[in-house]
Each structure stands twice: as structure tokens, then as C-alpha cells.
Amino acid sequence: MIEVRDLTKSYGDHLAVDHLNFTIEKGRIYGFLGPNGAGKSTTMNIMTGYLGATRGEVLIDGHDILKEPEEAKRCIGYLPELPPLYMEMTVEEYLMFAAEIKKIKKQDRTEQVNQVISLVKLEDVRKRLIRNLSKGYRQRVGLAQAVLGYPEIIILDEPTVGLDPQQIIEIRQLIRNLAKEHTIILSSHILAEISEVCDYILIISKGKLVASDTTENLEALMAGAGSLELVVKAPKAQSEVILSKISGIQKAMYYHGEEPQTTRITIETEQNTDVREALFFAFAEEKCPILSMQKTKSSLEDVFLELTQQDDKEDV
């Protein structure tokens, strides 16, 4: 559906987007992640034709977004972080105006507007002025205009920013419903949201693509080396001696425990290695009780921090 080839965008000496290459396939919800200033919004603005690239190209269903803008934009619905709403219009008036701008046939406009109003649940406010709507309803209006014309691709830039928890749940459900008929690209700073809604993730850092995979595969990559957290009733020096006798441990970090005469230890093990039984018997033999032991699972947040911080370290 979308091919991004060698995409680069410079602002003077600042390289906002650095030779990006990726593809978007039909029928998925893509999460677009990155720290502030990573180049996410710039990339999305280029993909939707709002900005020109310094070099490279973006093909939307085979159409170059800069050379064939009308053909390319017919395939895209776009919701910016701040929806471009006209506050003095009613919801219905605004959507009819958006339908005209999108060159939807005059005889089809009323039917399509009614359909998207129903889809995003705006029936109760269709006659109200947009300025009198809550932020959650305004986001729904923005979503409705993005869906008008039934584009195959819908791009959403921070669609839940500033919403309360109930509104966030409602917008997430709307996104899932839209994904049944559309390919969705979702940019968000909320990692839990990306993990909850998306089935494929692109992570960008300093304008570069640092990861592109499913949520499960990214977490599995990070979890290649297992991790254990344990609290033992033993001093650090004795704990080090005990652990030195156990094979399969790659790294151990020691901290003062919250209780007197205890040590908290974080252990990283080799892939597919379970050392819990060996730990139990080794500490028991030295009469040093293990007060707690638990496996820790790598999360999307761990993946994000590892990849973006790694990029920072390479620049040092």
C-alpha cells in the first residue's frame, strides 16, 4: 500500500528524517513510535503530502505523493494531532464541506456523511457547533473526516492525546473497527496504546528506522536472554561467591535489600536457560534463604528504551 524509499528531510543543517525505507502492507494496524523530535510527524506529513522531501519518494498504491498528489491522496485519510476543524460549523456542515473538498460526488455526499457519523457515533451531536463539543467528540469529528471517501489507508497522528481514560478506550475501539476495512497507521507516545491496538510496529529514532516488526517479535528479541529478580538473606560478597558456581548466568547486578541483611539481585541468563532450581539449591546449601524470586518479562517499553538509547550511545 505504501512504499517509502530513501526518504530524507533536512531543515538547514538539521536532518529530521534520515534515509528512511519501509513498506506498509494492506490490512494491518501499524504503530509508529519514537521519542519527541525523532521525525515521526515530519515523516507522516511527507507521506500525506503536507511537506515535500529533500530526497527520496513515497508511493501510495503506486502513485508518487509529490508527482501524482491527487491520485495518491485519494487513498489516504489523515487525522493530524490537532484536527483542522472549523469551530463555527456544525458537525454535519463540516463533514459536508470536507466531502466536497475530497471531491466526493454530490449525489453521494449525504449518504457518506450519514454513514461516517454513524460509524464514529456522532448522531447525538451532528447538529451542534463544533466549538461546543468536548475534546473527545472533536477527535471523533476529525476521525469522521479522515474516513470520508473510504480511503484504503488512514493515518492517525496522536489520536488520543489529551483525552480522558474513557475517551481513550472509545477511540481505541473505533480504531479497531476501522481496521476491519482499512489499513491504519497510528502514531502515539503512549506505548501501552501501541501494544494494545497495533499488530506491527515501526520505531524511529533521530530520523532513522531502528526497528520494524510485530510486537511479539520485538519483545521476543529483547527477551532472548532471560531475567530474574531475587531477594536473598545474604551479604553481597557471599551472594557473588554462590552465583559464581552456577552456569548459564551472563550477568548479575547487586543492590541493597529493603530488609536488613538482604541483597536484591538482578540476573540475566543465557537464552532458554532456567537457573531457578540451581539457585534454590545453591543458596540453601549455604543456609542463605531466598526470600523472593520472579521472572521479569521484557515489555514494549523496554524495547523502545533499549533501541532509542542505543542510538544515543552510538552518537557519543
Side-chain angles (χ1 to χ4, degrees), residues 38-49:
K40 300 189 308 302
S41 292
T42 300
T43 301
M44 297 178 92
N45 282 328
I46 295 172
M47 289 167 62
T48 52

Side-chain angles (χ1 to χ4, degrees), residues 150-170:
Y150 301 113
E152 294 187 65
I153 303 157
I154 297 177
I155 299 177
L156 309 174
D157 191 1
E158 302 283 351
T160 62
V161 67
L163 302 186
D164 65 39
Q166 182 59 41
Q167 292 169 337
I168 289 172
I169 291 170
E170 291 170 355

Side-chain angles (χ1 to χ4, degrees), residues 20-82:
L20 277 184
N21 291 277
F22 61 85
T23 59
I24 301 295
E25 298 177 7
K26 189 174 182 178
R28 282 179 163 175
I29 306 179
Y30 286 82
F32 203 38
L33 276 174
N36 287 327
K40 300 189 308 302
S41 292
T42 300
T43 301
M44 297 178 92
N45 282 328
I46 295 172
M47 289 167 62
T48 52
Y50 281 72
L51 279 178
T54 303
R55 63 175 295 178
E57 59 183 359
V58 177
L59 301 180
I60 312 293
D61 199 22
H63 302 288
D64 190 302
I65 190 67
L66 294 180
K67 296 177 181 177
E68 303 172 273
E70 286 197 19
E71 292 84 350
K73 288 179 182 180
R74 284 195 194 101
C75 303
I76 296 176
Y78 180 40
L79 174 64
E81 183 175 344
L82 298 175

